[in-house]
Amino acid sequence: MELPDDVPDTCPVCDAAYDSVSRHAGGLMVSLQETERYARVCFEPVTVDADGRREARVDFYHHTHDQA
C-alpha cells in the first residue's frame, strides 16, 4: 500500500469529501459491510510512473459516515 502525494480535494468518483486515500498495487480485499469508522470506500484506477515505466494502481477513497 502507498500513500499518494497528489490527491484531489474531493473524491474523483462521487465528488464528496473523504477522510483518507490509499493506493494499492497488488492484491486487495474489500469488505462490503460498514465499519465503525467508514461507511463507504470509492475505487479509482490510476496509472503512475514507476522506475521509468507506467504501472496500474487503484486508489481507495475512504468516506466516514458523515461524508457518505
Side-chain angles (χ1 to χ4, degrees):
M1 180 189 76
E2 304 166 30
L3 298 175
D5 295 327
D6 56 341
V7 298
D9 293 332
T10 60
C11 175
V13 178
C14 68
D15 203 35
Y18 59 90
D19 183 57
S20 62
V21 61
S22 57
R23 182 167 286 163
H24 301 265
L28 48 97
M29 182 188 334
V30 177
S31 171
L32 299 179
Q33 298 176 341
E34 290 183 358
T35 65
E36 288 183 25
R37 186 171 183 182
Y38 297 116
R40 180 176 72 230
V41 177
C42 292
F43 309 97
E44 175 76 359
V46 297
T47 54
V48 298
D49 288 322
D51 298 323
R53 60 180 197 256
R54 301 294 287 165
E55 292 188 1
R57 301 284 192 273
V58 179
D59 285 355
F60 282 35
Y61 290 85
H62 310 98
H63 299 276
T64 64
H65 291 271
D66 291 338
Q67 295 167 333

